[in-house]
Amino acid sequence: MNSEIIKELTWRYATKKFDPSKKITSSDLSTLLNVLRYTPSSYGMQPLKFLVITNPDIRLQLQKASFNQSQVSEASHLIVICAQIETSPNHIDEMTELMSTTRSIEIEKLQGFNNYVKGALKNLSGQEMLLWNSKQAYIALGMFLSNCARLRIDSTPMEGFEPDKYDEILSLTQKGLKAVLVCPIGYRSEEDHYSRLEKVRKPLETLIEFLD
Ligand SMILES: Cc1cc2nc3c(=O)[nH]c(=O)nc-3n(C[C@H](O)[C@H](O)[C@H](O)COP(=O)(O)O)c2cc1C
């Protein structure tokens, strides 16, 4: 077993109280933004947008729309993970073009892929499409949390907020987006006793089953 990895994962915890005086360096922030960029998504469609919010007034408004959880305004940076409301045929075309230029493949050779993705998504209802897009947001969150821990940056994965209010405060609907997850990042406060609590996890014996 790789003890370094386990050490990182047990160092990480859902931070309840950040030290507002400690800020993430621009170098660490760049690393983490690239983690979001390199997150995988189904068919590579990346139906996501990430907002990095430092503006204190906006963050105070968002804190009120987050059951007053103080991490939203006290952390160094606030990341809001948004899903596109839909993955339109036009979006699929744009991503196919990006694949074509990035890998120098003629667009005609990607037509089969393009049709396949369009076919797979065309029968989804609006709600199913948003759900599919939102699932991609959770993958980004998982990658983000573990890489924050590698950098010894604290984080709080958050679903405890009112998405409709976020959409309104951040004018997301008109951009075709929906707030799905929130993740304040920064440095834990010494006063946060949660950092010293034992992790509560099912034992491996009940969590994992081998079918040999
Ligand atoms: C999707 C998701 C949403 C969560 N929402 C919140 C939240 O709104 N506020 C909060 O303080 N913790 C939130 N948590 C943190 C969990 O309660 C925490 O991860 C869990 O109890 C395990 O503890 P640990 O992360 O400290 O190991 C959330 C976690 C996940 C994965």
Side-chain angles (χ1 to χ4, degrees), residues 9 12-16 69 71 138 141 145 156-161 181 194 199-201:
L9 295 177
R12 190 210 65 79
Y13 76 108
T15 305
K16 304 290 177 194
Q69 298 190 71
Q71 304 98 311
Y138 283 79
L141 177 71
L145 296 176
T156 319
M158 282 180 55
E159 273 178 332
F161 69 99
L181 286 160
Y194 282 87
K199 284 240 169 285
V200 181
R201 293 294 191 272

Side-chain angles (χ1 to χ4, degrees), residues 156-189:
T156 319
M158 282 180 55
E159 273 178 332
F161 69 99
E162 296 171 87
D164 290 347
K165 289 199 180 154
Y166 266 61
D167 295 347
E168 203 182 309
I169 296 164
L170 301 169
S171 309
L172 295 177
T173 312
Q174 46 268 58
K175 295 176 190 159
L177 298 170
K178 176 104 204 137
V180 175
L181 286 160
V182 177
C183 191
I185 52 172
Y187 297 93
R188 64 189 69 177
S189 159

Side-chain angles (χ1 to χ4, degrees), residues 11-38:
W11 176 88
R12 190 210 65 79
Y13 76 108
T15 305
K16 304 290 177 194
K17 191 157 179 46
F18 285 86
D19 181 342
S21 69
K22 292 190 183 156
K23 302 292 177 201
I24 293 173
T25 64
S26 57
S27 163
D28 281 345
L29 186 64
S30 297
T31 306
L32 291 173
L33 299 183
N34 276 288
V35 166
L36 295 175
R37 181 173 182 233
Y38 287 115

Side-chain angles (χ1 to χ4, degrees), residues 126-169:
Q127 225 174 355
E128 286 167 336
M129 174 90 66
L130 179 59
L131 178 65
W132 186 78
N133 291 349
S134 302
K135 286 178 183 172
Q136 319 304 319
Y138 283 79
I139 299 167
L141 177 71
M143 297 262 296
F144 194 66
L145 296 176
S146 41
N147 282 288
C148 281
R150 284 186 84 176
L151 293 171
R152 294 293 189 269
I153 287 173
D154 287 299
S155 59
T156 319
M158 282 180 55
E159 273 178 332
F161 69 99
E162 296 171 87
D164 290 347
K165 289 199 180 154
Y166 266 61
D167 295 347
E168 203 182 309
I169 296 164

Side-chain angles (χ1 to χ4, degrees), residues 7-8 11 17 30 48 53 55 63 65 90 92 101 118 125 128 136 140 144 147 161 167-168 185 188 197-198 202 204:
K7 213 152 95 187
E8 277 162 20
W11 176 88
K17 191 157 179 46
S30 297
L48 300 174
I53 308 179
N55 180 297
Q63 181 176 332
N90 192 34
I92 299 169
T101 50
K118 284 180 182 164
S125 68
E128 286 167 336
Q136 319 304 319
F144 194 66
N147 282 288
F161 69 99
D167 295 347
E168 203 182 309
I185 52 172
R188 64 189 69 177
L197 295 180
E198 200 61 42
K202 292 180 184 176
L204 279 178

